[in-house]
């Protein structure tokens, strides 16, 4: 059984016992007691006393004036009347409190009412047992008997009522009876003590005082009560105000506490967010660091990572010579894969190459993409340069196999330079420079793989210096033009010149075109140099055409592949013509067939635009490069120039003339005029004349000459063919001429 049920049972028991004693007192009260005075006491107890109850300051107890009435009633009317008055007064008090807003739980109100009846009965029973020999019907009680009686009644009343209340409270809350009585009920003894004192005063006044004394005492009591009530009210108000202040302060503190708690929560959230931000920042830093050291396309380490790795190898200063090697890889013609198949395919090719390199090499080796179509590799802990060379050859073999991507068969080619890391290398850039030098050497040799040597470095550095000097050659006026006459092989007349560039270096003297032209091509200097040539030659030819009988002269200028592949050639040519005021028909532009075929569609478009300007076009060194008849007949060339290698291959009796015959036949079918270069013997001249070649140039007629010497020759009218030259056809030539086939 729980404590609540036990508390209910206890309350019911008290109610039954108190109700029994109330009924017993009601039935046993003497009839002569019912008087005006008793009714007055009942009225006071039922109406006045409840409204005179004062709440003690800062306490849960009330000062009631019911005890004085109960004790006075006992003294004047007996115990039964006192029990009835106590019960009715408690009932009136409870109902009055209920009307003011006080709420009572179930059984609490009847428990309070009949607890008053029971405790009053017990108090008078204790008094009867202890000093019941005192009689109230005789003379008034002495002060001693009065004090003794009131003391016993007050103590018994307090103990009985407080013990019952403590028992109920301890049962309900499962607390110690002693602790509950001491904490909750002991302080209520003040009510009985004050009540006993007031009852003694009232008894003395009623029993022995005259009217004046009673009036004065009553007035004093009233004023004391009013003053006391006002004081109590002020104290209560002050206490209430203080409590309100404390509540407000507590509310403020609670708000502050709530705000502090809120701030703590927010701070915790901020700390959590900051922690998340820090984690995100750390991830971002890691990602940024990773992206800083890795290539976004292939996910390989990049140039920066490679530089740091090489710097570490240099800084640790171990014996790295002949243990660590660096490879420099460069794809050939990768630009054409991007241009023809698109950058998506080009990117996939680079990704494929990166994965292949990782699979081929060991885990301890480092593969990096330097950018574009260039890769680099660090080979760790090898026994010899020969082992590094074998690895390079293995890579070259695997990566030059055909690759199929999206139904495209792609052929990749690459050059690899290999260099050991040795004590001479103080910076990572020096290592990459030497590997790059070896790679360029492999490209020049066409070997695919080359090992670096110090001799190669010297050659490369000389080349770099030559390239640097070439950039300033125009400003220093070190470049000049030589002109080789082009002769009509039928009449021997001068029809024009081929413009040839010469470089007279301020320190090294004459530099061969075979040496500096490739440098100009690789570095991109060929385009500004060609523009300078166009301006010089068109201006020079304009001056020569002003001489008598030379208005027909033409000049041929060689055009590089870079210039043709770009977008500025048509503008550059047109600008030179406008400046020089040269007739476009007397300017001939020469380019090799390989250059024209590298991007045939672009070449066709550009050459057609040049033809619209009115200039002539010529195929240079025909037969030495790649040709496609499918494109050749679409290229708007006017002239075909036979390479000197085919001319020099013919003997004195006309042997090895088949290629010349084929080229002549092809040119006739394409309706092109033919120029042969490199004519050095009269036999070669005669053979070309017999084959119907239109024009020729070579040392037999004239070597390339500077402007001043050309102008001396222009001043004289002459036949440029040798005096002894006669048209003849060797038996071999006649036999071959009869068997000429025409290309359809």
């Amino acid at each position: 059984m729980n404590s609540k049920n036990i508390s209910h049972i206890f309350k019911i028991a008290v109610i039954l016992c108190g109700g029994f004693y109330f009924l017993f007192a009601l039935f046993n009260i003497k009839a002569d007691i019912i008087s005006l005075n008793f009714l007055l006491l009942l009225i006071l107890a039922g109406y006045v006393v409840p409204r005179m109850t004062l709440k003690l300051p800062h306490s849960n107890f009330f000062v009631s004036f019911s005890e004085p009435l109960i004790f006075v009633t006992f003294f004047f009317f007996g115990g039964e009347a006192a029990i009835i008055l106590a019960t009715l007064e408690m009932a009136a008090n409870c109902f009055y409190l209920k009307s003011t807003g006080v709420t009572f739980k179930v059984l609490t109100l009847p428990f309070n009412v009949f607890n008053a009846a029971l405790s009053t009965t017990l108090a008078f029973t204790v008094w009867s047992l202890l000093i019941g020999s005192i009689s109230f019907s005789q003379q008034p009680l002495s002060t001693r008997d009065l004090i003794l009686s009131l003391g016993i009644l007050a103590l018994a009343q307090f103990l009985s009522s407080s013990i019952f209340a403590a028992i109920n409270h301890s049962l309900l809350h499962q607390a110690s009876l002693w602790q509950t009585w001491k904490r909750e009920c002991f302080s209520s003894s003040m009510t009985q003590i004050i009540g006993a004192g007031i009852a003694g005063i009232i008894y003395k006044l009623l029993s022995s005082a005259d009217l004046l004394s009673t009036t004065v005492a009553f007035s004093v009591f009233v004023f004391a009560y009013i003053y006391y009530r006002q004081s109590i009210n002020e104290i209560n108000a002050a206490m209430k105000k203080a409590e309100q202040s404390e509540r407000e302060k507590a509310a403020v503190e609670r708000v502050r506490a709530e705000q502090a708690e809120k701030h703590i929560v927010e701070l915790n959230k901020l700390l959590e967010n900051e922690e998340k931000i820090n984690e995100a920042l750390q991830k971002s830093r890691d990602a940024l660091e990773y992206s800083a050291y890795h290539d976004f396309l292939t996910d390989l380490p990049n140039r920066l990572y490679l530089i740091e790795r090489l710097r570490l190898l240099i800084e640790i200063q171990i014996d790295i010579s002949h243990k660590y090697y660096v490879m420099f890889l460069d794809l050939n013609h990768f630009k054409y894969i991007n241009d023809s198949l698109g950058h998506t395919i080009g990117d996939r090719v680079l990704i494929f190459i990166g994965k292949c390199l990782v699979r081929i090499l060991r885990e301890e080796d480092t593969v990096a993409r330097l950018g574009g179509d260039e890769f680099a590799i660090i080979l760790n802990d090898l026994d010899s340069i020969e082992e590094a060379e074998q690895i390079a050859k293995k890579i070259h073999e695997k990566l030059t196999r055909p690759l199929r991507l999206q139904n495209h068969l792609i052929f990749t080619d690459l050059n690899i330079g290999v260099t050991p890391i040795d004590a001479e290398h103080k910076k990572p850039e020096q290592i990459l420079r030497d590997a790059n030098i070896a790679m360029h050497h492999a490209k020049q040799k066409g070997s695919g793989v080359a090992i670096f040597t110090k001799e190669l470095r010297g050659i490369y550095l000389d080349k770099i210096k030559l390239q640097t000097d070439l950039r300033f050659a125009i400003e220093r006026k070190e470049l000049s033009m030589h002109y080789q006459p082009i002769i009509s092989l039928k009449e021997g007349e001068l029809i024009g010149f081929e413009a040839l560039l010469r470089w007279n270096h301020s320190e090294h003297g004459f530099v061969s075109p075979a040496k500096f032209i490739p440098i100009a091509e690789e570095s991109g200097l060929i385009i500004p140099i060609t523009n300078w040539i166009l301006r010089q030659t068109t201006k020079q030819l304009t001056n020569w055409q002003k001489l008598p009988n030379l208005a027909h002269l033409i000049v041929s200028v060689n055009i590089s592949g870079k210039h043709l592949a770009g977008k500025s050639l048509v503008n550059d040519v047109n600008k030179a013509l406008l400046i020089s005021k040269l007739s476009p028909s007397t300017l001939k532009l020469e380019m090799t067939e390989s250059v024209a075929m590298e991007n045939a569609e672009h070449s066709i478009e550009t050459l057609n635009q040049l033809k619209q300007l009115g200039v002539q076009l010529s195929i240079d060194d025909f037969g030495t490069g790649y040709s496609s008849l499918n494109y050749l007949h679409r290229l708007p060339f006017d002239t075909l120039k036979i390479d000197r290698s085919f001319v020099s291959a013919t003997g004195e009796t006309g042997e090895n003339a088949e290629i010349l015959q084929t080229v002549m036949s092809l040119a006739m079918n394409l309706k092109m005029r033919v120029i042969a270069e490199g004519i050095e013997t009269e036999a070669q001249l005669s053979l070309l004349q017999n084959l119907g070649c239109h024009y020729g140039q070579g040392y037999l007629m004239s070597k390339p000459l500077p402007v001043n010497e050309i102008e001396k020759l222009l001043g004289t009218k002459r036949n440029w063919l040798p005096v002894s030259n006669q048209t003849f056809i060797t038996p071999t030539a006649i036999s071959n001429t009869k068997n000429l086939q025409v290309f359809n």
Side-chain angles (χ1 to χ4, degrees):
M1 186 178 294
N2 58 34
S3 59
K4 186 175 181 181
N5 292 334
I6 295 174
S7 175
H8 284 174
I9 292 173
F10 175 74
K11 286 180 180 179
I12 291 171
V14 170
I15 292 169
L16 292 176
C17 290
F20 170 78
Y21 286 117
F22 172 74
L23 293 176
F24 177 82
L26 188 64
F27 284 110
N28 288 282
I29 191 172
K30 297 177 181 180
D32 59 348
I33 292 176
I34 307 301
S35 63
L36 181 61
N37 291 333
F38 181 68
L39 292 176
L40 181 61
L41 289 175
L42 288 178
I43 293 171
L44 288 174
Y47 184 79
V48 177
V49 170
R51 287 162 175 77
M52 293 177 64
T53 302
L54 297 177
K55 186 177 185 300
L56 293 177
H58 203 62
S59 171
N60 292 324
F61 299 100
F62 296 85
V63 175
S64 174
F65 294 92
S66 61
E67 278 75 9
L69 291 181
I70 294 171
F71 295 153
V72 168
T73 301
F74 174 72
F75 289 143
F76 286 104
F77 298 102
E80 291 81 1
I83 293 170
I84 294 170
L85 185 139
T87 305
L88 294 177
E89 187 278 331
M90 179 58 70
N93 205 354
C94 289
F95 282 109
Y96 174 75
L97 291 176
K98 188 174 182 181
S99 67
T100 61
V102 178
T103 58
F104 295 92
K105 294 182 180 179
V106 178
L107 299 179
T108 300
L109 192 148
F111 172 79
N112 290 337
V113 172
F114 292 107
N115 182 32
L118 180 60
S119 61
T120 303
T121 302
L122 290 175
F124 293 135
T125 302
V126 171
W127 179 86
S128 299
L129 292 174
L130 294 179
I131 55 173
S133 59
I134 298 176
S135 174
F136 300 123
S137 60
Q138 301 173 0
Q139 60 183 358
L141 292 175
S142 65
T143 301
R144 174 183 174 277
D145 292 338
L146 178 64
I147 293 173
L148 181 61
S149 297
L150 288 173
I152 293 172
L153 289 172
L155 181 61
Q157 176 83 353
F158 160 68
L159 288 175
S160 59
S161 62
S162 63
I163 288 173
F164 288 140
I167 291 172
N168 176 64
H169 193 278
S170 63
L171 289 175
L172 185 62
H173 298 283
Q174 293 184 334
S176 168
L177 176 62
W178 168 248
Q179 295 295 333
T180 301
W181 180 84
K182 184 172 66 173
R183 183 180 65 253
E184 302 291 340
C185 302
F186 181 75
S187 59
S188 65
S189 61
M190 184 61 64
T191 302
Q192 278 76 18
I193 293 172
I194 295 173
I198 295 173
I201 294 172
I202 294 173
Y203 178 80
K204 280 292 184 179
L205 289 173
L206 293 177
S207 61
S208 61
D210 54 15
L211 180 61
L212 179 60
S213 300
T214 303
T215 304
V216 171
F218 181 76
S219 300
V220 170
F221 175 77
V222 170
F223 284 114
Y225 170 78
I226 294 172
Y227 174 78
Y228 183 73
R229 183 182 183 92
Q230 183 177 356
S231 299
I232 291 295
N233 290 336
E234 289 177 355
I235 293 172
N236 284 333
M239 294 297 296
K240 186 175 182 181
K241 186 175 182 180
E243 289 175 356
Q244 180 65 26
S245 178
E246 288 295 326
R247 282 195 294 271
E248 291 176 355
K249 184 177 179 181
V252 171
E253 293 297 327
R254 184 172 60 254
V255 170
R256 288 179 180 176
E258 291 175 354
Q259 290 177 347
E261 185 176 356
K262 183 178 180 182
H263 290 326
I264 291 173
V265 172
E266 292 177 353
L267 182 60
N268 289 333
K269 289 182 179 179
L270 288 175
L271 291 175
E272 291 177 2
N273 291 336
E274 185 176 356
E275 185 176 354
K276 292 179 181 179
I277 291 172
N278 289 335
E279 291 177 359
L281 285 175
Q282 186 59 44
K283 290 181 180 179
S284 178
R285 289 192 195 99
D286 294 341
L288 185 61
E289 183 177 357
Y290 185 86
S291 63
Y293 285 98
H294 287 78
D295 175 58
F296 74 96
L297 178 64
T298 62
D299 204 33
L300 294 174
N302 58 13
R303 177 185 289 272
L304 184 60
Y305 180 93
L306 186 75
I307 292 293
E308 293 296 328
R309 182 87 171 93
L310 293 175
R311 183 176 289 113
L312 178 63
L313 291 176
I314 294 172
E315 288 177 355
I316 58 178
Q317 295 180 349
I318 60 174
D319 183 16
I320 57 177
S321 181
H322 304 296
K323 289 186 177 181
Y324 292 84
Y325 299 85
V326 173
M327 292 184 183
F328 196 105
L329 291 76
D330 179 72
L331 297 179
N332 290 335
H333 309 300
F334 181 73
K335 179 178 181 298
Y336 302 124
I337 296 177
N338 280 335
D339 291 343
S340 58
L341 301 179
H343 288 276
T344 301
I345 297 295
D347 289 345
R348 294 190 61 181
V349 170
L350 293 174
I351 295 171
F352 171 79
I353 290 174
K355 290 181 178 179
C356 282
L357 291 174
V358 172
R359 285 197 297 266
I360 293 171
L361 297 169
R362 303 165 299 171
E363 289 186 3
E364 58 266 31
D365 298 328
T366 301
V367 182
R369 183 188 175 206
L370 302 181
D373 55 1
E374 295 178 343
F375 295 82
I377 299 170
I378 300 177
L379 300 174
N380 294 333
D381 198 19
L382 299 183
D383 295 330
S384 64
I385 188 68
E386 288 77 19
E387 186 178 356
E389 184 177 12
Q390 289 301 318
I391 295 174
K393 289 181 178 179
K394 180 180 179 182
I395 292 172
H396 186 271
E397 178 187 356
K398 289 187 176 292
L399 294 184
T400 52
R401 294 174 181 173
L403 168 67
R404 183 172 293 279
L405 284 175
Q406 295 185 358
N407 297 325
H408 297 289
L409 189 62
I410 300 171
F411 293 87
T412 57
D413 188 19
L414 72 157
N415 296 295
I416 306 175
V418 185
T419 184
I421 304 176
D422 56 37
E424 289 186 3
H425 294 127
K426 304 300 181 184
K427 295 181 179 180
E429 291 78 8
Q430 296 173 344
I431 303 172
L432 291 177
R433 175 202 63 196
D434 291 347
N436 191 28
I437 289 172
M439 184 275 294
H440 280 287
H441 184 62
K443 184 180 292 187
Q444 290 174 359
K445 290 194 311 178
S447 60
V449 177
I451 305 299
F452 171 79
T453 63
K454 293 181 180 179
E455 291 75 13
L456 284 179
R457 183 193 294 164
I459 296 171
Y460 180 79
L461 293 178
D462 289 342
K463 182 178 178 182
I464 293 296
K465 186 176 184 308
L466 202 63
Q467 176 181 321
T468 303
D469 292 341
L470 185 58
R471 291 182 181 274
F472 302 99
I474 296 176
E475 296 178 9
R476 296 170 181 169
K477 298 183 179 179
E478 295 177 353
L479 299 181
S480 62
M481 299 305 303
H482 281 208
Y483 296 89
Q484 185 173 29
I486 300 174
I487 310 301
S488 171
L489 298 187
K490 184 176 181 181
E491 291 87 6
E493 294 180 354
L494 177 68
I495 66 165
F497 305 93
E498 180 179 4
L500 301 170
L501 182 64
R502 295 292 182 262
W503 183 13
N504 187 21
H505 196 281
S506 58
E507 296 180 11
H508 306 295
F510 177 76
V511 182
S512 170
K515 187 174 184 180
F516 75 81
I517 291 297
I519 295 176
E521 287 273 4
E522 292 177 10
S523 64
L525 292 172
I526 192 66
I527 294 178
I529 289 176
T530 301
N531 290 335
W532 180 83
I533 293 172
L534 284 169
R535 292 193 297 271
Q536 293 295 314
T537 55
T538 54
K539 181 180 178 181
Q540 187 62 65
L541 188 61
T542 300
N543 293 334
W544 287 341
Q545 287 179 348
K546 294 177 182 178
L547 298 176
N549 301 317
L550 295 180
H552 65 283
L553 288 179
I554 65 171
V555 65
S556 294
V557 177
N558 290 286
I559 301 298
S560 70
K562 285 186 179 294
H563 216 158
L564 180 62
K567 299 180 179 180
S568 66
L569 178 59
V570 177
N571 269 345
D572 294 339
V573 172
N574 188 44
K575 187 175 180 180
L577 291 172
L578 292 174
I579 293 174
S580 64
K581 299 181 180 179
L582 180 70
S583 172
S585 62
T586 58
L587 174 63
K588 182 178 288 187
L589 304 179
E590 295 186 6
M591 56 210 72
T592 64
E593 56 183 332
S594 296
V595 165
M597 291 298 137
E598 282 182 353
N599 190 343
E601 294 298 335
H602 176 74
S603 296
I604 292 171
E605 181 181 356
T606 302
L607 294 176
N608 283 326
Q609 291 176 6
L610 290 171
K611 287 298 293 181
Q612 291 176 5
L613 291 179
V615 300
Q616 298 187 54
L617 302 175
S618 176
I619 299 179
D620 193 14
D621 299 335
F622 184 80
T624 60
Y626 170 78
S627 294
S628 172
L629 294 179
N630 182 43
Y631 284 106
L632 190 60
H633 80 279
R634 295 171 58 193
L635 297 172
F637 286 108
D638 304 291
T639 306
L640 186 150
K641 181 178 279 190
I642 301 173
D643 186 68
R644 66 178 64 250
S645 61
F646 298 131
V647 175
S648 61
T650 58
E652 292 296 325
T653 59
E655 64 270 18
N656 300 324
E658 293 84 359
I659 294 179
L660 293 178
Q661 294 174 9
T662 302
V663 171
M664 288 299 302
S665 177
L666 176 63
M668 290 176 184
N669 280 278
L670 294 174
K671 296 180 175 58
M672 294 184 188
R673 302 186 76 78
V674 181
I675 300 176
E677 61 179 355
I679 302 173
E680 297 181 357
T681 67
E682 292 189 14
Q684 294 169 353
L685 175 61
S686 298
L687 177 60
L688 291 167
Q689 287 174 328
N690 290 332
L691 290 174
C693 183
H694 304 94
Y695 312 110
Q697 63 186 88
Y699 277 30
L700 181 63
M701 287 81 79
S702 176
K703 65 179 181 179
L705 298 172
V707 173
N708 57 345
E709 293 187 27
I710 290 291
E711 289 180 345
K712 291 178 183 179
L713 295 175
L714 290 178
T716 61
K717 187 175 182 180
R718 53 172 292 187
N719 190 316
W720 290 78
L721 295 176
V723 176
S724 60
N725 178 255
Q726 297 179 5
T727 302
F728 69 95
I729 301 177
T730 64
T732 303
I734 294 173
S735 173
N736 289 334
T737 303
K738 291 179 180 179
N739 294 317
L740 284 176
Q741 299 295 321
V742 177
F743 290 90
N744 295 319

